[in-house]
Amino acid sequence: MATIDPTAPSALLRRRGSTPRHPSPRIAQMQRTFYFLRKNTLAMIGLGILLFFVIVAVYSFSYPAPATQLQLYCGTYTGNSQPSGPSTGCISVCTSPPNIVPQCGPTAYPVDQFNPSLLPPTVNIGHFTSGPLPLGALTASPGNNYFYNIYAGLIKGAPWSLGLSATIVASGAGVGLLLGALAGFKGGLWDEFIMRVTDVFLSIPGLLLVIVLLSVLNNSIKIQIGATNYGSIVVLLVAFIITWWPIYTRIVRGQVLVTREQKYVEAARASGAKSGRILLKHIVPNSMYPVFVQMSLDVGTIPLGIGAIVFLGFHIYPTLYFPEWGAMSALSVLPIPGLLTTCENAVAACQFFPWWQLFFPGITLFLFAISVNFLSDGLRDALDPRLRR
Amino acid sequence: MKMSVYIIRRALLLIPVIIGVMTITFVIIQAIPVSERVSSYYLCSGHGAASPCTPTIPCAQGSTALCPNPAYEAAIHQLGYDQPIWTQWGHYIFNSLQLNWGYTGSQSQASHAFALTGQTPVSTVLSYFLPYTLELAAISLFMILLLAIPLGNYSAVYRNRPIDQASRVLSFSGFALPGFLLAILALTAITVISGGFGAVCNGTSTPYAEWHNSWPDLGCLPGGRYPSWIGPYLQTTPTGFPTVDAALHQNWFLAWESVKRMLVPALVITFGGIAGILRFVRNSMLEVMNLDFVRTARAKGVAERQVIKRHAGRNSLNVTVTVLGLTFAGFIGGFPIIENIFGLRGIGLVLTYAIQPQFDYGLIFGTTLLFTIIVVLANILVDILYAYLDPRVRLG
């Protein structure tokens, strides 16, 4: 059992400062929460992974922009050194579509030009294992067989993934908070109307609503910044936000219904506070905890959702080079059925299974989603007194 | 309240939700340009290629001046797009409730893949493929429950012990891996395991093609052709559920082949969808195990195994039923991708075919409506089941 008595926050806090402090109840509550969060190993691991990804996202802005199309050729790796020149074993011109990887001889593997400005030599994925391992080559969009480097893509994709997830979840939670607070606080017809609409939205499976919205809004918005049309990204954002707000509305409304009956709300009302003030200062802040838990849970699923819609063939690429993690993962999966067919029809033409294309974007997505899951689980435990151990 | 009254009341609540969903799709459809909507109805095609379904056509042969297209105007009028928006909404709801969901387009991959001729009603197409999806959903749900309930109970009983941590990590992993990645890995693995590369079935098929389909290749069948109860769209008669029909016709070979092809996809769906329900089973079991009647049972000297199984387990199950609807809505959203990867002929596959290379709006909206109706109906079933298991719900 835990050695700390959760009902004694002041004893807890006194350990840190030299003099006893008496923070306001809400601050004390937050400090208690963070105390229990710190005790949770899995949550801390999740937070660590998440912080690492944030650092990568910041670092990515100083990372040199990779070429949209790598000049791939067949080469051989000799130990840790750079690949030797074009191999004589090369069967065909290596960049030719529709091969996802150049077809090389049995000893040669497709490599990029090993442009030092493109890849810092010290963090070459090809050096992860002792054996020769091709650099990642990926189609940038279905039908367009542009290759790009997976390592560079994962770095450059970090701000896309994190930014899109955070924007969608924050906007969805914002809308949900507004409507949920309105429904719970006003009650009556407001409540009835908002919650019925929410129910209807909740009964449509999330991914399908996104698909329908994307198929309708497809290419209808043009937002030109420089040479890039960011319209598809805005459409993506709109579709995901429309899909993601109802769950928050339901959570917030349920929470507000409980909170508004509390004694402190009554006290505020008795001391003459206006409705708006009661709502903003008393009810909403005290209804936020389940929202945070849900938000941290949802952040991890957004890249998976983006991957799913890219897999289904929606073109959401503002540029040819759109290395969002989910999209990368989906694009790396897309050629596999064709590859399997090719392999079965002509085993000789199929030298290797491009596992690295699946593995590296996949593991990144996995780590991101599982880290926010751990964090969310820890948050839930820390915020819900019944689940503390 | 009597059970029958409760069921009727619950079923009546279905109507506003369905109308609400149709209203949402109606609003979304308004974003599609009218010309595109008209052309998807084939109303102009009767006038031949010289009269395309565009608002304007050249005034005369070879002329550059544009005149209003009478065929287009007629189509607009026939579809009621010149009516006030409220009238259009009424017509849309009225038509949709009658399963009049429009027609398939000619450009979509679905038309080619399923050999649909021009003006097939969407609801007819979906009725061919719906039973397959339902059967896959049933198998997946069964597998989820089969795994989640014992695992959740064990997790609660052995709380914070290795089995608890392992089941948590397992469920988290399923949640955190993209379904398409998991599915393609499973498909590759099963292809390689079941015979590697090379031809099977007397050289007419390959292991990959075998697993990427809901029925075996013709070359693998005795006699080299499908039995008469498998129709042109590979839909089955009389019920439409493939395994059930195969069993009804006592074709055990095809029944096994049909189930076999659903097991791996169902496992993938299970792995992805188990997280939520596993967590819920564990929590409700933890709560129930602290209740008085469990302590009483222990005090009476009931064996621990019986306490867990009979007293706590059974009562935690009641609560678990409430989240079944949510779980169902969660994993059925992943069906298009799973069915696409495994080549299973359900409505999810129809949806993925309706997206590329050209949007087939009739099929897209029809599939969405159908999936939503499935979810809503599943929720009602769960409510009724819960009311049956826990009479307080309908009496209170």
Side-chain angles (χ1 to χ4, degrees):
Chain A
M1 287 314 284
T3 51
I4 299 298
D5 177 13
T7 56
S10 51
L12 245 170
L13 298 171
R14 208 173 291 136
R15 291 191 306 141
R16 267 186 266 137
S18 51
T19 51
R21 284 176 295 149
H22 296 286
S24 76
R26 198 177 297 143
I27 305 279
Q29 173 71 33
M30 271 169 75
Q31 283 171 340
R32 261 206 306 273
T33 302
F34 281 114
Y35 173 78
F36 282 105
L37 199 58
R38 273 204 308 278
K39 284 267 154 193
N40 191 327
T41 322
L42 279 185
M44 283 299 103
I45 292 174
L47 194 63
I49 300 175
L50 203 59
L51 276 179
F52 170 74
F53 282 139
V54 172
I55 293 170
V56 169
V58 173
Y59 164 68
S60 75
F61 289 105
S62 66
Y63 191 79
T68 52
Q69 189 168 14
L70 298 182
Q71 194 68 48
L72 290 176
Y73 60 82
C74 295
T76 46
Y77 275 106
T78 49
N80 278 344
S81 67
Q82 295 187 358
S84 64
S87 154
T88 49
C90 201
I91 292 171
S92 60
V93 180
C94 298
T95 47
S96 68
N99 307 327
I100 34 166
V101 286
Q103 295 177 355
C104 302
T107 55
Y109 291 83
V111 290
D112 75 355
Q113 272 180 316
F114 211 75
N115 183 352
S117 69
L118 189 68
L119 264 191
T122 45
V123 277
N124 181 358
I125 291 172
H127 295 165
F128 260 65
T129 61
S130 54
L133 175 63
L135 290 168
L138 194 64
T139 52
S141 63
N144 290 328
N145 288 60
Y146 291 92
F147 296 100
Y148 60 75
N149 185 294
I150 286 183
Y151 174 79
L154 287 178
I155 289 186
K156 278 292 183 188
W160 277 115
S161 285
L162 298 187
L164 284 178
S165 313
T167 315
I168 290 166
V169 168
S171 315
V175 175
L177 197 63
L178 199 73
L179 291 177
L182 201 64
F185 193 65
K186 286 257 190 183
L189 271 181
W190 282 93
D191 185 25
E192 200 57 32
F193 180 71
I194 292 177
M195 290 326 288
R196 288 297 80 76
V197 173
T198 309
D199 280 350
V200 169
F201 268 95
L202 272 178
S203 57
I204 307 178
L207 187 62
L208 293 179
L209 188 55
V210 172
I211 289 172
V212 166
L213 287 167
L214 281 180
S215 70
V216 166
L217 297 174
N218 179 48
N219 296 330
S220 62
I221 301 179
K222 296 239 184 302
I223 295 162
Q224 204 78 21
I225 300 176
T228 317
N229 179 12
Y230 286 95
S232 56
I233 288 295
V234 174
V235 167
L236 178 87
L237 280 175
V238 169
F240 269 88
I241 291 168
I242 289 179
T243 311
W244 246 263
W245 65 267
I247 185 77
Y248 291 102
T249 307
R250 183 177 272 188
I251 292 174
V252 171
R253 183 226 177 215
Q255 204 63 19
V256 166
L257 282 185
V258 174
T259 316
R260 73 170 187 188
E261 302 299 330
Q262 299 286 331
K263 287 272 187 261
Y264 52 78
V265 175
E266 212 174 296
R269 192 170 285 131
S271 57
K274 292 205 172 63
S275 299
R277 185 185 163 83
I278 292 176
L279 192 62
L280 287 181
K281 291 270 178 183
H282 297 279
I283 294 183
V284 167
N286 285 298
S287 312
M288 281 304 283
Y289 290 133
V291 177
F292 285 140
V293 173
Q294 183 68 31
M295 278 172 82
S296 58
L297 204 65
D298 279 350
V299 162
T301 59
I302 301 278
L304 305 184
I306 295 178
I309 59 167
V310 169
F311 178 83
L312 289 178
F314 284 101
H315 292 257
I316 55 161
Y317 327 101
T319 58
L320 261 183
Y321 188 75
F322 178 61
E324 202 276 332
W325 292 339
M328 275 181 81
S329 191
L331 291 173
S332 65
V333 163
L334 275 177
I336 300 298
L339 183 81
L340 285 175
T341 316
T342 315
C343 287
E344 297 195 330
N345 291 335
V347 180
C350 188
Q351 292 295 331
F352 37 78
F353 185 75
W355 61 269
W356 63 95
Q357 292 194 16
L358 304 178
F359 180 75
F360 291 107
I363 197 77
T364 311
L365 267 187
F366 175 76
L367 282 179
F368 178 57
I370 209 162
S371 68
V372 289
N373 258 298
F374 283 158
L375 191 60
S376 142
D377 221 36
L379 263 183
R380 190 197 314 262
D381 286 3
L383 292 173
D384 190 344
R386 288 175 307 166
L387 295 175
R388 283 175 188 159
R389 8 201 148 138
Chain B
M1 201 188 314
K2 268 162 64 183
M3 196 66 196
S4 54
V5 180
Y6 180 82
I7 292 177
I8 291 171
R9 262 178 67 156
R10 196 63 193 77
L12 283 179
L13 282 177
L14 174 81
I15 297 168
V17 174
I18 300 265
I19 290 183
V21 171
M22 285 171 177
T23 308
I24 289 176
T25 53
F26 175 76
V27 170
I28 296 174
I29 286 173
Q30 299 308 307
I32 308 175
V34 172
S35 56
E36 273 188 50
R37 276 190 269 161
V38 170
S39 63
S40 72
Y41 275 95
Y42 292 93
L43 287 175
C44 300
S45 58
H47 301 271
S51 179
C53 226
T54 49
T56 50
I57 48 167
C59 289
Q61 196 77 38
S63 157
T64 51
L66 292 173
C67 291
N69 182 353
Y72 181 78
E73 310 267 309
I76 290 268
H77 184 71
Q78 193 177 340
L79 290 169
Y81 290 160
D82 51 355
Q83 306 266 329
I85 193 89
W86 294 109
T87 320
Q88 284 188 43
W89 176 78
H91 281 166
Y92 179 80
I93 300 287
F94 186 68
N95 280 332
S96 300
L97 286 176
Q98 290 182 315
L99 298 184
N100 190 355
W101 292 352
Y103 297 96
T104 57
S106 59
Q107 297 295 312
S108 72
Q109 203 186 340
S111 304
H112 294 289
F114 305 132
L116 304 168
T117 46
Q119 220 170 356
T120 318
V122 166
S123 44
T124 312
V125 176
L126 293 181
S127 72
Y128 295 148
F129 297 97
L130 174 65
Y132 197 97
T133 299
L134 289 181
E135 195 172 308
L136 183 62
I139 292 184
S140 311
L141 194 62
F142 178 71
M143 280 170 93
I144 286 184
L145 290 181
L146 199 69
L147 280 177
I149 291 175
L151 258 185
N153 286 354
Y154 273 119
S155 287
V157 174
Y158 300 101
R159 181 183 180 179
N160 289 340
R161 305 263 276 281
I163 185 167
D164 183 22
Q165 308 289 10
S167 82
R168 273 172 73 169
V169 169
L170 178 87
S171 65
F172 275 146
S173 315
F175 188 75
L177 267 177
F180 52 86
L181 188 63
L182 202 61
I184 206 87
L185 288 179
L187 183 59
T188 309
I190 197 80
T191 304
V192 173
I193 291 170
S194 74
F197 298 133
V200 293
C201 294
N202 306 323
T204 59
S205 187
T206 61
Y208 170 73
E210 274 304 293
W211 284 103
H212 179 80
N213 204 345
S214 47
W215 292 106
D217 186 81
L218 285 175
C220 302
L221 290 175
R225 58 185 181 82
Y226 288 121
S228 57
W229 49 271
I230 296 189
Y233 306 107
L234 295 192
Q235 85 278 27
T236 58
T237 48
T239 61
F241 297 96
T243 314
V244 176
D245 281 343
L248 279 180
H249 290 92
Q250 304 196 330
N251 192 333
W252 304 114
F253 168 71
L254 275 181
W256 163 240
E257 288 289 324
S258 164
V259 171
K260 194 176 85 177
R261 285 168 167 74
M262 283 191 217
L263 285 182
V264 181
L267 258 183
V268 173
I269 294 165
T270 305
F271 192 57
I274 205 173
I277 197 159
L278 184 60
R279 184 182 294 170
F280 203 87
V281 171
R282 178 179 178 271
N283 287 348
S284 79
M285 186 70 179
L286 280 178
E287 251 166 53
V288 169
M289 280 190 3
N290 286 330
L291 292 182
D292 283 343
F293 71 91
V294 174
R295 200 184 311 146
T296 311
R298 284 205 182 109
K300 280 195 303 187
V302 179
E304 184 65 21
R305 210 184 137 76
Q306 292 294 316
V307 172
I308 306 260
K309 207 172 144 191
R310 286 277 161 79
H311 296 74
R314 204 153 278 180
N315 278 286
S316 79
L317 212 58
N318 275 5
V319 193
T320 307
V321 169
T322 53
V323 284
L324 270 187
L326 215 62
T327 314
F328 195 73
F331 78 72
I332 211 165
F335 268 42
I337 286 176
I338 302 289
E339 285 181 359
N340 178 287
I341 290 181
F342 286 97
L344 304 178
R345 299 172 80 91
I347 50 175
L349 185 70
V350 177
L351 174 62
T352 59
Y353 280 180
I355 292 168
Q356 280 181 312
Q358 202 159 6
F359 295 129
D360 187 332
Y361 290 112
L363 280 181
I364 291 179
F365 281 96
T367 327
T368 307
L369 268 183
L370 193 54
F371 268 121
T372 309
I373 290 171
I374 294 176
V375 168
V376 173
L377 285 179
N379 274 322
I380 285 182
L381 274 184
V382 162
D383 277 1
I384 292 172
L385 188 64
Y386 189 49
Y388 173 74
L389 289 174
D390 190 348
R392 281 172 300 180
V393 174
R394 61 195 150 96
L395 297 177

